[in-house]
Amino acid sequence: MMLNLKHAAASHLAALLPDPFGDADRLPAMLEYPAERGRGDVAFPCFALAKAMQQSPAVIARQLAEQLNARTAHFTAHADGPYVNFAFDRAYLAPSILQAASAEQFGQSKQREGRRIVIDLSSPNIAKPFGIGHLRSTMIGNAVANLLEQTGAETVRVNHIGDWGTQFGKMIAAYLRWADESRIAELGPIKAYLELYVKFHEEAKAAPALEDEARSWFHKLETGDEQALPLWRKFVDESMQEFNKLYSRLGVRFDHVLGESFYNDKMDDVTRELEAKGLLEESDGALVVRLDEYGLPPCLIVKSDGASIYATRDLATALYRHNAMGGDELLYVVGGEQALHFRQLFLVLAKLGYAWVEQCRHISFGLMKIEGRKMSTRKGKVVFLEEVLDEAVQHALSKIEQKNPDLPDKEQVAEAIGVGAVIFADLKNTRQLEVNFSLEDIVQFDGETGPYLQYTYARTRSLLAKALAGEKAAPAGRSAGGAGTDGESADPGSTAADAAPGYSCLSSDTSWELLTALLRYPEAVSLAADKAEPSVLAKYLLELARLFNRFYTHERVLAEHAPERLAKLRLTEAAGDTIRRGLAILGIETPEQI
């Protein structure tokens, strides 16, 4: 079965090339897809061969094309300057492509089979809002985990909740000073706690002693104080209730939800090991691991007051994830502003002698801004993700009311469209770049949006449903063309049950472009997984949807002639299924009707 045109071309080229260029495993990576339509399906550049063969690339290309055309194969080769371009037999390959793309396992591989990958994602802070900025770690991490599973890996999804640290001393101090239970009931716990957190920082500007009070409360919390501990548990429980509602709405699951506090009893072992290996040094009363040889500042392990810091906690966390969770690889989906921290973390692990640190990776991403503005929890400049999702759903519902008011279950469809629009607006961007979020732009049904992909999928389902309805309504001995938008009529004298697909009709440019785009789906999944870059898959899906809509516009899908209609419906179904699978990996639902 033909699954990859690059591999097909490479298999024919391999025997004609000198070593080491004839390596059939490495050769596909040297092949390209021609940028211009009409130049062929796959191109082999001959530049690298020039020195080895002592000939110009153009001469080599002509010789290779002649040798390839002398073979019995379902393609033709022609020299295009320094390139050998392959043009495959479209009608011959169409059935194989559609058979491959119709399999539910299409795009899956065993590339990472046997690998157990622990992935740290989401990681919001207790008693603080789940803002739009948290979307990035959550949905990038979710998509990366899904991509890795498609390539055979076993993933362990860990939500590393921020439930410890001096900010809880601030929250306890603020709560005891200013909390109003009626205000908490009015706003809800998280928004009320945000008010208290902001008020603490405003008041502390004029009364610095508040910071000492906060440190005192955190020290009491660390020692299990009877007043501090129940308040802390209250903050954790109420926050997790709100977070879990959002995770359910986003379709995100975790294998472990472990707060920073889980590692409190594991940090002393790390400090003792660092000391035993002579890595700890005193610096201004604190204990650090020096990283001078890497041109980096020292990694702070124990503060001058004897308290541990998050670097110590993350060292303990890494050891736990490798030793107790059995992680072969440890991934951290955390913002790019933490790049220095992770460089220091991995270098300290290396100094401790842990070779598996080579399998630790920081999956960084850029900031998310709202209309160009950065958010800040301390200043109260936070856009709540729940409110963004609600507004996006209302936008979607409004559009449905305008275009298809009788749509069944329109509220559920609007939820899928609105939430999907927000997720896709994030994931279509290269993760390391900043994202400037604009709600008005992302809920459009055209352009590079999630709703555009969902609508394209629904269009494929609509065509298939119309074809099925037409077949059921057709009299015996006749084949209905369906009651679709193309206005096809029945084909007298033949039935769909009797007909075989006429794949020769898929030789047109619009059909072939869509077919070959389907073949690139496994490549897109594999590349996105390798780079931990969901945008690779998102951009592929946009291109696939564009090509399907072009096919739909230029071809009569519900054709009068039954064999042609069947072939085009199979291509339609394969395109829709591929869009559905790809969006599922990104964490986006696909309604059957919109």
Side-chain angles (χ1 to χ4, degrees), residues 424-425 428 441-442 444 446-453 539 542:
F424 190 80
K428 74 175 183 180
D441 294 338
I442 69 170
Q444 300 299 319
D446 51 19
E448 297 186 346
T449 67
Y452 170 69
L453 292 174
K539 289 169 183 174
L542 287 170

Side-chain angles (χ1 to χ4, degrees), residues 573-589:
E573 184 174 26
D577 285 347
T578 304
I579 291 171
R580 171 182 56 80
R581 289 189 198 100
L583 285 177
I585 291 172
L586 298 180
I588 297 172
E589 294 182 7

Side-chain angles (χ1 to χ4, degrees), residues 14 28 34 62 68 88 91 110 131 167 210 225 233 236 239 250 280 329 347 352 407 422 461 463 473 502 505 517 548:
R62 286 196 300 271
L68 288 164
F88 287 89
K110 296 182 179 181
Q167 68 267 30
L210 277 174
D225 180 81
R233 287 176 178 153
V236 171
S239 296
L250 293 168
L280 281 185
E329 300 176 37
L347 287 170
L352 282 168
L407 177 70
V422 173
R461 298 302 102 175
L463 281 167
C505 72
F548 171 76

Side-chain angles (χ1 to χ4, degrees), residues 431-442:
R431 60 174 165 79
Q432 290 180 316
L433 300 179
E434 288 187 352
V435 175
N436 193 21
F437 194 87
S438 171
L439 190 61
E440 184 62 34
D441 294 338
I442 69 170

Side-chain angles (χ1 to χ4, degrees), residues 485-498:
T485 56
D486 301 289
E488 295 84 349
S489 59
D491 173 22
S494 67
T495 67
D498 298 332

Side-chain angles (χ1 to χ4, degrees), residues 37 131 150 163 211 213 272 280 310 322 512 570 582:
R37 193 157 40 100
Q150 290 291 304
D163 70 346
E211 297 284 358
E213 184 180 330
R272 282 193 290 268
L280 281 185
Y310 59 88
H322 179 267
W512 183 244
R570 289 196 178 180

